[in-house]
Amino acid sequence: SFACISPSFKLSYYNEYKSYLSEDMSKLFRSEEMTLCQIYLSQEAAYNCIRELGELGAVQFSDLNEGVSAFSRNYVSEIRRMEEMERRLRFFAGEIEKEKLPVPADYNIPAAPNQKDLIDLEATLEQLEVETRQINVNQEALLRNFYELKELKHVLNSASQFFQEGAAIEREQQSSMMKYDEEAGSASRHLSFLCGVINRAKIPVFERVLWRASRGKALLRHLEIDEPLKDPATEEEIQKSTFIVYFQGEQLKIRVKKICEGLGATTYPCKESYNERKQTEVEVDKRLKELTDILKETHNHRYRMLDTVVQNINSWIVQVKKVKAIYYTMNKFRKTDTGLLMAEGWVPMSQLNSVDTALKRGTTSAGSATQAILNVVTTKRTPPTYHRTNKLTKGFQAIIDAYGVATYQEINPAIFTIITFPFLFGIMFGDLGHGFIMFLAGLYLVLKENAFLKRIKTFDEITAMMFHGRYIILLNGLFAMYAGLLYNDVFAKSLNIFGSSWYPVPGPGYSGSEETLFGLDPKPCGEGRNFSCRPYPFGIDPIWNVAENKLMFINSYKMKLAVILGLIQMTFGVVLSYYNYRFKGKTLDVYCTFIPQMLFLQSIIGYLVFMIIFKWFTVNARSTAQPSILICLINMFLKFGTKLDKSEALYQNQHIVQSALVVLAVICVPWMMIAKPIIEHAYPRVRQAKYTPLPQSYTQFENEAEEGDEGDEEEHEEHTTLDIMVHQAIETIEFSLGCISNTASYLRLWALSLAHAELSEVLWDMVMKMPFGMDPPVYLKTIMIIFLFAFWAGLTVAILIVMEGLSAFLHALRLHW
């Protein structure tokens, strides 16, 4: 069917697809192209228009009232209304939490309400708050009455025991004072008492104060209440005790009452007669039953009211926050002489039509006769950086933005971080088994992301952070599996997938015994040789896992690999700076910054990597000269121009090449430091501008008015030649030292990989080897293996995957920063 289309249509379709692809790729590698716009709105339509723009999320407004205080702006009263509504919502949230009501997750984010719905919402919240507070007051009064009656009931129950003790005390007192009373001629004295309830923790204090105040003439008895009583205001459980105080005289009675009031004790009337106490107890039980029914109805009414709030509180919170953001944004607008509101903000070029459509929708919904005006402004201001992200790139973009946001239209490093970050993580975390577990964890979070998104509000901070980084975890596990295959490492063991390329043959030192230590001869293949002349197809040969010199070989391999990867990433960063200079037309920076930086980097670190690769190809186990690469690099500076011994040289005329590279590196330092300031001072016309905007493609409105344009332009500070020289000197020193320090920093790839592998091996040897080295009965050995495997698996996940994974993540983050 495509062959039937005319050639002209084919070409136009191809050109359209090509332009779309190039535009999409440009958005991927660079920030969005932004334009400055002025928006004129009528006051009656401003709320609806900003509501539509807020839902679109495509405008970054500038504050046109920077000199005006926050309390003198146009919409302060509206913001205070929203703060009052937020206070009411916080009150409802506290009441819901107090009742422990489950709040259903609101999966749909509601739009901001229109002004009529906002007034209705405000009235609803006010009415609900008044009713809830009234119910709380009534419920608190009922509860206070209820708990007072319960305390009175406990006092009546304890009274019988108190009065039995009191009668004995009174008889003893009368017998002891009978003689004194007869001599004094006074009537017989009767003991008075006071009953009540007090906090159990205050009993010792109550006793001491009572003893001192009465000078030992008052007697306290108390009994613990078995069930805890609650505070009506806070609903907290309090352990209390009933008490009775015996004393004589009205003055002592007044003192005892004051002490009870001071310690928060509650006194209750209690009759001495058993029948009267029993009658009072019956009345108390009747009132308690009535109060229980009333409290139950009050609680049900309160529950029904809060249940109405529970169903809508999440959406109400979002709506109030959105409305507050709308009025906060409108406070940035300036009133014109004609009564319109003027706003100014940055808009992505690709969304200008969407912004214009949103403004029309807002004006129509408000019923305003004045249409909103969108005016594109030509300016020399530096636009803000806006990177469009999705659920895959969002986490990696956050990693880059945590260090610093790229300037406008610079190449976005986050795109390359999607691959480089998991790759460096995998190099440090290389283990097929551990990577597979991490990959499964990330895959589970990705496959269940819709279900988790519905419950994201209930997650704690760490769980939410892991969920947002689910694609990072997935890719980290995938690249750790790849590095594990390269290292041939699976839970500290090797996989012999393709068969080892080494095998022992009878010879000197080989006796066939398992305890024999012998070396495998790396001679070329042939009869009676140890090497099969067939390199292991992928990764490291599994025989190295049982070799005595395994650590020496693996260390050398991983250390050199770390330096090579470090050079690749640093070179890639310098190359990206070239494309940034080209894109912004900074030709002088290409010749005075990019070229000397690249030459300096390659003349030292690049030459080091060259020696590593050259030695791999030319030096073997039987070479007579096996110079150390580190010694060669040191001799490059210490033995400048001196001919090297054969044992120190990798190739002929090495000293000439090294001397030339040192001279080149030394030349690059003043080249980076003073070339640019001298050229800019000698030829002022080549002084680079900050930013020249691209031609605007959106021409619906043109700003023909010139008034106010000068005030809209940013005034860039002019730098003197001395300032530029100081800046260049700092940049040169930072880059020169950074080349060395960053190369050393990349050795963490080797160090963490070694630590991870050794820790995994130690854990296996210390835990899983134990049952295999013993000879118990079969059933006991099986039980030991099961329990030890569970213990080993738990430690593997907790230490080798979680803790080591976090360590590798932080080091990968450091290398990218």
Side-chain angles (χ1 to χ4, degrees):
S1 61
F2 189 80
C4 299
I5 303 176
S6 62
S8 61
F9 182 80
K10 288 181 183 178
L11 183 60
S12 63
Y13 177 81
Y14 171 75
N15 290 333
E16 181 181 354
Y17 174 76
K18 184 178 179 181
S19 63
Y20 169 78
L21 187 63
S22 62
E23 181 182 357
D24 189 63
M25 292 297 288
S26 65
K27 291 179 181 178
L28 188 67
F29 288 104
R30 299 186 184 276
S31 60
E32 289 274 345
E33 186 180 349
M34 307 291 286
T35 182
L36 183 65
C37 296
Q38 286 182 348
I39 304 174
Y40 292 91
L41 304 167
S42 61
Q43 295 189 37
E44 61 270 15
Y47 177 87
N48 287 14
C49 290
I50 301 305
R51 182 186 65 173
E52 295 291 337
L53 291 179
E55 298 295 340
L56 181 63
V59 184
Q60 178 181 322
F61 286 100
S62 303
D63 191 357
L64 302 181
N65 301 313
E66 290 184 356
V68 182
S69 66
F71 301 101
S72 304
R73 302 202 178 192
N74 298 327
Y75 297 95
V76 175
S77 58
E78 283 78 5
I79 291 178
R80 287 176 178 169
R81 283 172 53 204
M82 296 306 107
E83 290 177 348
E84 179 65 18
M85 293 174 69
E86 285 182 332
R87 182 197 61 77
R88 288 170 178 159
L89 289 171
R90 288 194 299 270
F91 165 73
F92 289 130
E95 294 297 310
I96 291 170
E97 185 178 358
K98 188 186 298 181
E99 290 291 333
K100 298 181 180 179
L101 296 176
V103 180
D106 192 359
Y107 308 139
N108 301 318
I109 300 177
N114 55 41
Q115 290 182 317
K116 180 180 179 302
D117 294 338
L118 180 61
I119 295 173
D120 295 340
L121 176 59
E122 187 176 12
T124 301
L125 292 178
E126 184 178 2
Q127 181 182 359
L128 287 173
E129 184 191 19
V130 171
E131 293 181 5
T132 305
R133 289 190 181 277
Q134 186 62 42
I135 292 174
N136 289 346
V137 171
N138 295 337
Q139 188 178 24
E140 185 177 343
L142 290 171
L143 283 172
R144 183 176 290 106
N145 195 1
F146 177 79
Y147 288 123
E148 286 177 354
L149 289 173
K150 290 196 75 174
E151 289 179 356
L152 176 57
K153 183 178 178 180
H154 284 292
V155 169
L156 294 173
N157 291 335
S158 304
S160 300
Q161 184 175 350
F162 286 150
F163 287 135
Q164 289 177 4
E165 296 179 359
I169 295 170
E170 188 173 6
R171 286 194 300 269
E172 182 180 351
Q173 186 182 23
Q174 287 179 355
S175 62
S176 63
M177 297 184 64
M178 188 177 296
K179 182 179 180 181
Y180 174 79
D181 291 336
E182 290 176 355
E183 293 176 357
S186 61
S188 173
R189 299 186 181 185
H190 181 71
L191 285 176
S192 300
F193 63 89
L194 196 64
C195 297
V197 176
I198 190 172
N199 191 332
R200 192 178 301 171
K202 296 181 180 180
I203 289 290
V205 179
F206 189 32
E207 283 184 316
R208 287 196 300 270
V209 174
L210 198 61
W211 176 266
R212 293 174 182 174
S214 65
R215 297 180 181 179
K217 296 179 181 179
L219 183 63
L220 173 67
R221 290 288 183 267
H222 58 86
L223 288 175
E224 294 183 356
I225 300 176
D226 295 335
E227 63 173 327
L229 301 175
K230 293 184 178 179
D231 186 353
T234 61
E235 290 291 324
E236 293 181 359
E237 292 186 350
I238 303 174
Q239 299 291 339
K240 292 189 175 183
S241 298
T242 58
F243 69 89
I244 186 169
V245 181
Y246 297 100
F247 53 86
Q248 283 183 338
E250 285 298 321
Q251 292 185 354
L252 199 53
K253 182 178 181 179
I254 295 173
R255 285 186 195 175
V256 172
K257 283 187 176 182
K258 288 183 178 180
I259 292 171
C260 291
E261 290 176 2
L263 293 177
T266 308
T267 57
Y268 294 97
C270 184
K271 303 295 183 180
E272 238 180 303
S273 172
Y274 174 78
N275 293 331
E276 291 178 354
R277 290 200 308 272
K278 199 65 178 175
Q279 185 179 356
T280 306
E281 189 173 348
V282 172
E283 294 176 359
V284 168
D285 288 337
K286 183 179 178 181
R287 291 175 62 188
L288 281 174
K289 185 177 180 181
E290 293 174 356
L291 280 175
T292 301
D293 296 336
I294 296 173
L295 281 171
K296 186 176 180 181
E297 290 298 325
T298 305
H299 184 269
N300 290 339
H301 180 54
R302 185 172 184 269
Y303 182 88
R304 287 192 296 270
M305 183 176 294
L306 289 178
D307 188 59
T308 304
V309 177
V310 163
Q311 303 301 325
N312 303 290
I313 187 168
N314 283 334
S315 60
W316 287 347
I317 290 174
V318 174
Q319 287 177 326
V320 171
K321 285 184 177 179
K322 285 188 174 183
V323 174
K324 186 178 179 181
I326 290 173
Y327 284 120
Y328 179 79
T329 302
M330 291 170 63
N331 266 339
K332 297 180 178 181
F333 301 166
R334 183 192 303 163
K335 268 188 179 180
T336 62
D337 297 335
T338 58
L340 297 177
L341 292 176
M342 184 183 76
E344 188 175 274
W346 294 96
V347 181
M349 289 288 292
S350 59
Q351 291 188 282
L352 277 173
N353 288 325
S354 302
V355 170
D356 186 48
T357 305
L359 290 173
K360 291 179 180 177
R361 284 200 307 268
T363 305
T364 304
S365 62
S368 175
T370 305
Q371 291 293 327
I373 301 175
L374 178 65
N375 192 3
V376 177
V377 180
T378 302
T379 181
K380 292 182 181 179
R381 300 183 193 175
T382 303
T385 301
Y386 173 57
H387 293 117
R388 198 179 299 276
T389 59
N390 53 37
K391 58 185 179 182
L392 171 62
T393 61
K394 186 177 180 180
F396 295 99
Q397 188 68 55
I399 290 175
I400 297 301
D401 292 343
Y403 179 76
V405 180
T407 57
Y408 179 66
Q409 289 282 285
E410 271 190 349
I411 293 178
N412 183 15
I415 302 303
F416 310 105
T417 307
I418 297 175
I419 298 300
T420 59
F421 187 89
F423 179 75
L424 293 184
F425 176 89
I427 294 297
M428 292 181 283
F429 195 76
D431 190 291
L432 182 60
H434 300 159
F436 182 66
I437 295 174
M438 183 174 290
F439 173 77
L440 289 180
L443 184 64
Y444 175 76
L445 293 175
V446 169
L447 294 178
K448 296 289 185 179
E449 63 181 14
N450 292 330
F452 285 125
L453 281 172
K454 297 176 181 179
R455 299 188 287 113
I456 188 69
K457 295 180 181 179
T458 63
F459 292 168
D460 56 73
E461 185 178 359
I462 295 178
T463 306
M465 182 177 61
M466 291 180 61
F467 174 72
H468 290 310
R470 58 193 180 277
Y471 287 97
I472 299 177
I473 297 174
L474 179 73
L475 292 176
N476 284 350
L478 188 64
F479 278 85
M481 291 170 61
Y482 169 73
L485 288 174
L486 282 180
Y487 300 154
N488 203 349
D489 200 357
V490 186
F491 298 120
K493 297 299 172 186
S494 295
L495 296 176
N496 193 7
I497 301 175
F498 306 104
S500 176
S501 300
W502 298 82
Y503 50 88
V505 295
Y510 176 69
S511 62
S513 173
E514 293 183 358
E515 301 298 328
T516 303
L517 183 65
F518 64 96
L520 297 178
D521 192 356
K523 280 186 177 180
C525 53
E527 189 67 28
R529 303 301 184 194
N530 299 124
F531 184 53
S532 64
C533 205
R534 178 180 57 84
Y536 198 71
F538 185 82
I540 295 178
D541 196 298
I543 200 170
W544 284 105
N545 191 54
V546 296
E548 290 288 331
N549 58 340
K550 167 191 173 182
L551 199 58
M552 183 183 302
F553 171 75
I554 297 296
N555 269 354
S556 176
Y557 168 73
K558 291 183 177 180
M559 192 184 301
K560 294 179 174 65
L561 183 65
V563 175
I564 294 173
L565 293 176
L567 175 70
I568 292 173
Q569 190 168 16
M570 290 189 292
T571 303
F572 184 69
V574 177
V575 171
L576 290 184
S577 68
Y578 165 76
Y579 285 102
N580 284 329
Y581 296 147
R582 282 280 306 274
F583 180 80
K584 295 188 176 183
K586 296 183 177 180
T587 308
L588 183 60
D589 282 326
V590 174
Y591 290 103
C592 296
T593 303
F594 166 72
I595 293 178
Q597 283 183 352
M598 182 63 73
L599 292 176
F600 183 87
L601 178 63
Q602 301 305 324
S603 62
I604 299 177
I605 312 302
Y607 179 68
L608 174 62
V609 172
F610 163 77
M611 288 192 293
I612 292 173
I613 298 175
F614 184 82
K615 186 176 179 181
W616 279 346
F617 280 96
T618 58
V619 179
N620 54 48
R622 296 194 172 276
S623 300
T624 55
Q626 296 187 0
S628 169
I629 295 176
L630 184 60
I631 298 300
C632 288
L633 185 65
I634 295 173
N635 289 337
M636 182 176 175
F637 297 94
L638 297 184
K639 295 185 178 181
F640 176 76
T642 304
K643 188 173 182 179
L644 302 175
D645 298 335
K646 290 184 178 180
S647 60
E648 296 178 344
L650 280 172
Y651 53 91
Q652 291 183 353
N653 299 322
Q654 181 177 344
H655 64 288
I656 299 176
V657 176
Q658 293 183 168
S659 300
L661 292 176
V662 171
V663 171
L664 181 60
V666 171
I667 292 174
C668 289
V669 173
W671 187 355
M672 288 185 285
M673 186 179 298
I674 62 176
K676 180 180 176 181
I678 290 176
I679 294 175
E680 288 189 349
H681 179 72
Y683 304 96
R685 292 184 180 180
V686 303
R687 187 179 295 272
Q688 320 244 343
K690 285 285 182 182
Y691 165 72
T692 303
L694 298 176
Q696 305 287 349
S697 59
Y698 188 83
T699 57
Q700 180 178 355
F701 300 102
E702 292 184 359
N703 186 23
E704 298 178 355
E706 296 181 358
E707 57 182 13
D709 285 354
E710 295 180 0
D712 291 339
E713 305 299 331
E714 287 186 351
E715 295 183 0
H716 296 296
E717 182 183 356
E718 292 292 334
H719 297 289
T720 63
T721 303
L722 181 60
D723 294 334
I724 298 174
M725 290 188 67
V726 171
H727 175 75
Q728 285 297 115
I730 295 173
E731 291 290 332
T732 302
I733 294 172
E734 183 180 359
F735 179 81
S736 303
L737 297 180
C739 287
I740 309 301
S741 62
N742 288 338
T743 303
S745 183
Y746 274 95
L747 291 176
R748 71 184 68 224
L749 296 174
W750 151 67
L752 265 77
S753 175
L754 173 65
H756 185 80
E758 290 301 310
L759 189 59
S760 179
E761 185 174 353
V762 168
L763 184 63
W764 177 272
D765 293 341
M766 297 294 290
V767 178
M768 290 304 295
K769 273 190 175 182
M770 186 187 303
F772 298 104
M774 303 172 65
D775 193 20
V778 177
Y779 70 91
L780 184 59
K781 191 171 185 177
T782 304
I783 295 174
M784 289 178 60
I785 291 176
I786 292 174
F787 279 100
L788 288 176
F789 176 78
F791 181 67
W792 171 81
L795 291 179
T796 297
V797 173
I799 298 177
L800 296 179
I801 296 180
V802 177
M803 295 179 62
E804 284 285 309
L806 179 60
S807 175
F809 179 89
L810 294 176
H811 284 282
L813 193 66
R814 160 66 182 85
L815 290 177
H816 279 77
W817 284 357

